[in-house]
Amino acid sequence: MIPTPASRLAVVVVAAGSGTRLNGGAPKAFVPLGEHSILHHALRGVFAGPSAQVVIVVPAGYENAARAAVATAGGHDVTVSVVTGGASRQGSVAAGLAALDDGVDIVLVHDAARALTPPVVFERVFDAVAAGAAAAIPTVPVVDTIKRVDVAGHVVGGVDRSELAAAQTPQGFRRSVLAAAVAAATADHTDDASVVASAGHTVVTVEGDALSFKITTAPDLERARALVAPHAAATDDPTAPPALPRVGLGTDVHAFGGEGALWLAGLEWPGETALSGHSDGDAVAHAIVDALLSAAGLGDIGTHFGTDRPQFAGAHADAFLNHTVALLRDAGWRVGNVAVQVQANRPRFAARRVEAEQVLSTALSGAPVAVSATTTDGLGFTGRSEGVAAFATALIVPL
Ligand SMILES: Nc1ccn([C@@H]2O[C@H](COP(=O)(O)OP(=O)(O)OP(=O)(O)O)[C@@H](O)[C@H]2O)c(=O)n1
Ligand SMILES: C[C@](O)(CO)[C@H](O)COP(=O)(O)O
């Protein structure tokens, strides 16, 4: 980091949004994340970064709650101003800029919603602007295949993801550049770099961080809570890695009567009756997903694979398990091992058990999977051959 007098730098923390997509019962920055609020965690990252004046922009009526968050986050020695936000994010940024001290010449604008951003990201952005850039933003690569989709939901083309990057915050600027661009803006932009770029300035990028994800929806909040919970008691540092392995439990049931082939434990079973379900009805894979998500404290299969996700309609085990591994990885975990038991009269697993274990293990990035199968001596719905039940346990370990 380039050392500069504290008076040069200010961080504007925009926390005035309503959190419509989160629907958390309070403006988003004031929704609980562990023992404290989202804003408290965001401020911990800000206070651990480069020395700065800090301006917090909040909804009307939340000024005192913001001052309380400053105290719990350890901002006793920091110059902090709390101001009321605008109707849009850009309006809130303008309100924050109006509260800057005279000596400030570099400004970082940070979303409170990116509450677990590591302090090193603030340093990277500040260093880039202090080294001469008019504007610098942290970005991360886009990992999904991106499609253009029309209003009917049909794919109309692809986008080369090598040309794309996902923008995060804090976004850093020469104060004069940002203030002039915001004052001259005629359109509402979703980030500050767009405001400055539309005024003709070059925006450079620095490395972002997976922990800087934005808490936008309920699954994001679950993920943030899972990151904060395991280590908060031990270290009180939300950016420290989780310390202990964790275990989880999952079950699933599907009835026979689906269309097409039977899919179970990641295998197709020619000649067997299919299971019904939104996806392929693979109760073994779904029980494993629930076991892994419960171990990580990331909710359950409905949280991430509900019927509102058309991409998982008809999907097989590999799609479910790959996505679950990615969710765990983003939360700081990898799969240790999985054990799953199937209760069913059919199919008979003995001849294909090893094959099933290999397929499931491959979908879990190589973690060992043990599959066992049993019947119930004619008792219950599995004994009457009405369906299949599966029970899974999982161990996950910190990355
Ligand atoms: N009028 C607004 C709108 C947004 N923000 C802030 O901008 C950041 C990013 O916005 P977003 O995640 O979209 O938050 P919300 O607007 O609260 O969410 P939603 O769009 O779901 O209502 C958040 O820290 C939010 O508090 C703000 O300060 N003032
Ligand atoms: C500023 C931002 O976080 C960069 O990714 C983002 O643009 C905030 O607004 P959004 O409407 O939630 O995209």
Side-chain angles (χ1 to χ4, degrees):
M1 185 181 100
I2 297 171
T4 57
S7 60
R8 283 191 61 190
L9 176 66
V11 180
V12 175
V13 180
V14 282
S18 54
T20 317
R21 290 169 286 182
L22 182 62
N23 195 18
K28 183 159 65 183
F30 298 90
V31 168
L33 172 52
E35 288 180 21
H36 299 287
S37 63
I38 287 175
L39 178 61
H40 161 98
H41 289 281
L43 291 175
R44 280 185 61 87
V46 172
F47 295 152
S51 305
Q53 179 200 0
V54 175
V55 179
I56 307 170
V57 190
V58 298
Y62 283 83
E63 292 83 358
N64 285 339
R67 289 185 191 100
V70 171
T72 59
H76 312 285
D77 302 328
V78 181
T79 306
V80 176
S81 317
V82 178
V83 301
T84 307
S88 67
R89 185 184 182 284
Q90 200 166 304
S92 293
V93 172
L97 293 178
L100 296 185
D101 290 344
D102 286 345
V104 167
D105 63 1
I106 294 177
V107 185
L108 307 191
V109 182
H110 183 50
D111 290 348
R114 297 186 185 273
L116 302 187
T117 301
V120 68
V121 180
F122 291 82
E123 292 176 6
R124 281 183 207 136
V125 173
F126 171 69
D127 286 352
V129 180
I137 64 169
T139 62
V140 288
V142 171
V143 294
D144 292 312
T145 296
I146 305 295
K147 303 289 188 196
R148 287 188 202 284
V149 180
D150 66 15
V151 286
H154 299 151
V155 172
V156 292
V159 181
D160 179 1
R161 70 179 170 207
S162 68
E163 294 179 354
L164 302 178
Q168 301 181 328
T169 69
Q171 301 192 346
F173 307 90
R174 305 218 145 273
R175 175 187 183 170
S176 54
V177 166
L178 180 60
V182 167
T186 53
D188 199 41
H189 298 267
T190 57
D191 79 344
D192 317 296
S194 304
V195 180
V196 162
S198 68
H201 296 283
T202 300
V203 179
V204 303
T205 62
V206 300
E207 185 185 351
D209 196 289
L211 282 172
S212 306
F213 68 92
K214 185 155 70 66
I215 300 171
T216 304
T217 60
D220 299 328
L221 184 59
E222 293 252 20
R223 181 178 163 200
R225 285 181 173 151
L227 281 163
V228 168
H231 41 81
T235 67
D236 198 30
D237 176 1
T239 64
L244 294 172
R246 290 172 60 158
V247 295
L249 175 68
T251 70
D252 195 33
V253 166
H254 280 279
F256 287 117
E259 293 180 359
L262 171 68
W263 283 85
L264 193 61
L267 301 179
E268 186 176 7
W269 299 80
E272 299 281 354
T273 308
L275 292 162
S276 61
H278 169 62
S279 62
D280 63 358
D282 188 334
V284 170
H286 301 175
I288 294 172
V289 168
D290 260 348
L292 291 166
L293 293 174
S294 83
L298 290 173
D300 60 22
I301 196 164
T303 313
H304 302 279
F305 300 89
T307 50
D308 57 334
R309 312 282 168 94
Q311 67 269 39
F312 292 109
H316 295 309
D318 55 346
F320 278 78
L321 298 178
N322 288 169
H323 186 57
T324 304
V325 168
L327 290 168
L328 260 62
R329 186 184 57 236
D330 288 349
W333 300 99
R334 67 180 171 81
V335 183
N337 76 297
V338 165
V340 59
Q341 185 180 58
V342 194
Q343 284 186 3
N345 288 341
R346 297 201 62 82
R348 308 300 289 186
F349 265 81
R352 301 191 71 189
R353 189 163 51 81
V354 172
E355 187 187 356
E357 289 175 344
Q358 286 171 346
V359 165
L360 295 170
S361 172
T362 299
L364 292 173
S365 300
V369 177
V371 176
S372 58
T374 188
T375 59
T376 54
D377 284 347
L379 296 175
F381 70 90
T382 57
R384 293 189 297 272
S385 294
E386 293 169 2
V388 163
F391 308 87
T393 58
L395 178 81
I396 61 171
V397 290
L399 283 173

